[in-house]
Amino acid sequence: MIRFDKVSKTFKRARVLDGIDLEIGLSERVALIGSNGAGKTTLIRCLLGEYTHDGSVTIEGQQPRKDRNGVLAKIGFVPQLPPPLKMPVGQLIGFAAGLCDTDPQRILDLAGRLGLDTAPIMDRQFVRLSGGMKQKLLIAIALGREARVLVMDEPAANLDPEARKIFFELLAERAESATMLISSHRLNEVSSLVNRVIELDLGKVVLDDRVADDISLTGLLNCRIVVKRAEPALAKALGSWNFADRGGGLEWHGTVAGPDRLRFLGMTSRYVALISDMSMTEADR
């Protein structure tokens, strides 16, 4: 599916990628992790055909630099930083749909599933949208094409918890038909989404490991939290996860997406001194 063969890249004598050899197969969900400067973004840009480099990169036998249109037709890309496009939203959707011969309504429907009502913003410049709205639209555009490869850089960083649940469901719908490459600085942000972890450091692969794949992307957890006293900051945090107050601020109930459990536990750990009881059980869907 995807093959990196002795890929190296140098910028002004600085070796950013140093002989990368990788093969990634169909339906693999890969976490690409590493600190700033490890080479993650450069590797992705080589995959997208944006950089010249030593060695070769192929996607189903095609080279991103030589067969650019053919390769890009296979890729759905969600960047970490939204581009500063002044194009109106409606025009952007039409342009993106035209590039991959997709019905624009498909993109609109996906945006709607993520909680983005596009009707009031069709004439608004993309650059003027909020961070969350931009992210939802970029995800809808990436998933709106029948891409064989999904490349995502911190894809859920600006999404609210409810939108993240839907995002995981959308990924699950593509799990068997697409290869996913998810870049992140922190493994705990994406560990529940992937079945393989590749870590880069100083332009080299230092870890390539298969991981347990027993968490459903569409799974939900029922959660109950009991606190010692009502605390406005905790109430606000739980409210952002759509938890319901069942006892004057002392008992909270809600659901958490399975792949989001570490993120949720990280949030609640800030209030560990207040929490007297907490339970999480798998929900029937």
Side-chain angles (χ1 to χ4, degrees), residues 12-174:
K12 297 181 179 178
R13 298 183 181 179
R15 195 79 155 176
V16 181
L17 297 178
D18 192 3
I20 300 291
D21 285 314
L22 284 172
E23 288 192 30
I24 301 172
L26 181 65
S27 80
E28 285 196 285
R29 303 192 304 274
V30 178
L32 183 64
I33 64 171
S35 59
N36 287 331
K40 303 188 305 297
T41 299
T42 302
L43 190 69
I44 287 174
R45 289 183 176 175
C46 290
L47 179 64
L48 297 175
E50 296 179 6
Y51 286 160
T52 59
H53 52 79
D54 296 326
S56 68
V57 178
T58 57
I59 298 178
E60 294 187 325
Q62 292 182 300
Q63 299 181 42
R65 293 288 294 181
K66 293 183 178 179
D67 308 300
R68 191 159 177 76
N69 290 340
V71 168
L72 290 181
K74 303 176 189 290
I75 296 178
F77 178 49
V78 182
Q80 180 182 12
L81 298 175
L85 297 175
K86 295 184 179 180
M87 188 183 297
V89 168
Q91 186 179 342
L92 174 60
I93 291 173
F95 175 74
L99 283 178
C100 56
D101 196 25
T102 295
D103 184 352
Q105 188 60 46
R106 178 175 169 82
I107 296 175
L108 294 172
D109 290 344
L110 287 168
R113 286 181 63 182
L114 287 164
L116 177 61
D117 182 6
T118 53
I121 62 171
M122 293 296 277
D123 295 325
R124 192 183 305 177
Q125 290 181 334
F126 176 81
V127 73
R128 295 187 179 277
L129 301 181
S130 69
M133 294 169 76
K134 290 176 183 175
Q135 195 74 353
K136 290 175 182 178
L137 186 56
L138 289 173
I139 290 172
I141 289 173
L143 297 180
R145 57 173 59 193
E146 293 298 328
R148 300 270 287 170
V149 178
L150 295 173
V151 181
M152 298 169 283
D153 197 348
E154 305 279 3
N158 291 317
L159 298 182
D160 56 85
E162 188 61 33
R164 288 172 65 91
K165 289 180 186 177
I166 303 302
F167 174 60
F168 300 144
E169 291 179 2
L170 292 173
L171 291 186
E173 292 172 8
R174 303 292 295 278

Side-chain angles (χ1 to χ4, degrees), residues 221-228 234 238 241 243 250-256 260-281:
L221 300 169
N222 289 324
C223 183
R224 171 180 175 268
I225 295 178
V226 178
V227 296
K228 299 173 183 176
L234 176 59
L238 291 173
W241 286 79
F243 270 54
L250 298 179
E251 183 172 338
W252 297 82
H253 291 246
T255 59
V256 177
D260 244 356
R261 66 182 72 192
L262 290 179
R263 185 183 181 93
F264 180 76
L265 290 172
M267 181 278 290
T268 56
S269 68
R270 301 197 298 267
Y271 306 97
V272 66
L274 287 173
I275 297 174
S276 59
D277 188 32
M278 180 174 178
S279 63
M280 298 180 77
T281 57

